[in-house]
Amino acid sequence: MRETYPTDLSDAQWIHLQPYLPTPKAEGRPRTHSLRDVLDAIFYVLKSGCHWRLLPHDFPPWSTVYYHFRRFRLSGLWSLILKGLHAAERKRVGKDPQPTAAIMDSQSVKNVEESSYPSGYDAHKNLKGRKRHLLVDTLGLPLSIYVSSAGVQDRVGAECLLAGMKALLPRLKKIWADGAYTGEKLARWCKEQGRWELEIVERSSADTEGFAVLPHRWIVERTFGWLMRNRRLSKDYERRVQSSESFMEVAMIRLIMKRLARGV
């Protein structure tokens, strides 16, 4: 038995997560390390921002932990877990599992040497790195995640973010976004692809100076704030953008599990 870390799963959180995890196969060599210990190690990496190889020795070997993280990414299991927990959280607060409205935005973050490709320059933010595109519901929980070079325009990233979402979000009718998504071309594309109404929430003339909370847009900004509480997401450290997307999913899985376990 090892001493617990603040990032370890509680028994209540494990109960909510366990149904979505693969069960051990009847044949073959039994697991040497429990899946719960492996997930505790992944959450430790996410929160602390440490390298895989710098995991404390009381966790399973870093190669085992990374193997499961990568296997979940390649199989799409992180996305499936997030989708299941997202529906459970919406039911808990009295909402339909399928949202009718969403908010879209992007965030540019710096990269490091390992994540130098793909990367680009965001002239608006004066920043070199990658860009996180996010579509969230009115609770601030992600519906779609896409990571690109920071040089990709928001309107182009929006099409990648929303591509194929009509089948996954059949009740979605309205999407709010900021001025970076202005343009008849994108609005027409949204109508054609999913019959979505794209509404641009602009700053009024009275809000030109100082900070102002804008309707709907603050929800997705808060979600980016939640993500940045995890040091692994303070920059983009991943070699592959798919790993960046997976770590964002893991962060939101952790957040939703805490809510479900507390029941508040």
Side-chain angles (χ1 to χ4, degrees):
M1 296 293 293
R2 63 174 175 82
E3 294 186 8
T4 60
Y5 291 93
T7 53
D8 285 355
L9 289 165
S10 67
D11 291 338
Q13 293 167 1
W14 176 247
I15 290 173
H16 288 287
L17 181 59
Q18 195 172 14
Y20 303 100
L21 300 176
T23 56
K25 295 181 180 179
E27 301 177 353
R29 188 178 66 179
R31 288 175 178 164
T32 306
H33 304 281
S34 74
L35 201 53
R36 182 169 177 174
D37 286 340
V38 170
L39 290 170
D40 283 340
I42 292 173
F43 292 134
Y44 181 90
V45 170
L46 170 71
K47 188 67 175 179
S48 68
C50 76
H51 292 266
W52 292 109
R53 289 174 174 80
L54 296 182
L55 269 173
H57 295 299
D58 49 358
F59 282 121
W62 76 266
S63 56
T64 301
V65 177
Y66 177 72
Y67 165 79
H68 282 87
F69 174 82
R70 182 176 181 272
R71 184 165 68 95
F72 284 14
R73 172 176 67 81
L74 294 176
S75 65
L77 188 57
W78 290 126
S79 298
L80 292 176
I81 294 173
L82 178 57
K83 183 179 179 181
L85 293 176
H86 177 254
E89 173 63 7
R90 286 185 62 87
K91 287 181 180 179
R92 187 186 68 81
V93 299
K95 291 183 176 289
D96 191 287
Q98 287 289 341
T100 58
I103 308 97
M104 178 170 57
D105 202 358
S106 68
Q107 176 194 51
S108 294
V109 293
K110 294 181 179 179
N111 63 340
V112 296
E113 183 179 356
E114 288 80 2
S115 58
S116 59
Y117 180 83
S119 68
Y121 180 71
D122 185 343
H124 180 67
K125 300 291 180 62
N126 192 25
L127 184 148
K128 185 179 183 297
R130 288 179 177 170
K131 184 175 287 188
R132 298 165 179 167
H133 306 265
L134 206 58
L135 181 75
V136 303
D137 65 4
T138 53
L139 297 179
L141 305 179
L143 302 170
S144 180
I145 298 172
Y146 173 64
V147 177
S148 70
S149 160
V152 173
Q153 290 187 352
D154 287 354
R155 291 187 293 272
V156 176
E159 295 185 7
C160 298
L161 181 70
L162 298 172
M165 295 304 294
K166 177 59 178 177
L168 300 176
L169 302 171
R171 298 182 71 244
L172 184 62
K173 301 297 182 185
K174 190 159 194 170
I175 300 174
W176 288 290
D178 64 18
Y181 299 90
T182 303
E184 182 60 31
K185 182 179 178 182
L186 179 58
R188 184 171 60 252
W189 184 90
C190 289
K191 283 289 186 181
E192 294 173 352
Q193 294 295 317
R195 296 183 179 179
W196 304 310
E197 178 188 352
L198 180 62
E199 180 178 331
I200 305 300
V201 182
E202 296 279 9
R203 291 173 64 95
S204 65
S205 57
D207 298 330
T208 53
E209 295 184 3
F211 174 77
V213 177
L214 300 179
H216 310 299
R217 280 173 50 181
W218 67 269
I219 297 174
V220 67
E221 296 292 349
R222 181 184 60 180
T223 304
F224 283 123
W226 289 338
L227 293 173
M228 295 299 282
R229 292 176 180 174
N230 302 282
R231 289 194 176 184
R232 186 78 182 201
L233 296 174
S234 61
K235 293 183 180 180
D236 196 316
Y237 294 99
E238 313 310 318
R239 294 184 185 274
R240 296 180 177 272
V241 293
Q242 293 87 352
S243 294
S244 302
E245 294 167 356
S246 292
F247 264 119
M248 293 172 68
E249 291 171 339
V250 173
M252 297 312 300
I253 287 170
R254 183 76 170 138
L255 176 69
I256 297 174
M257 277 194 307
K258 287 183 178 180
R259 292 186 178 184
L260 291 172
R262 293 198 306 262
V264 296

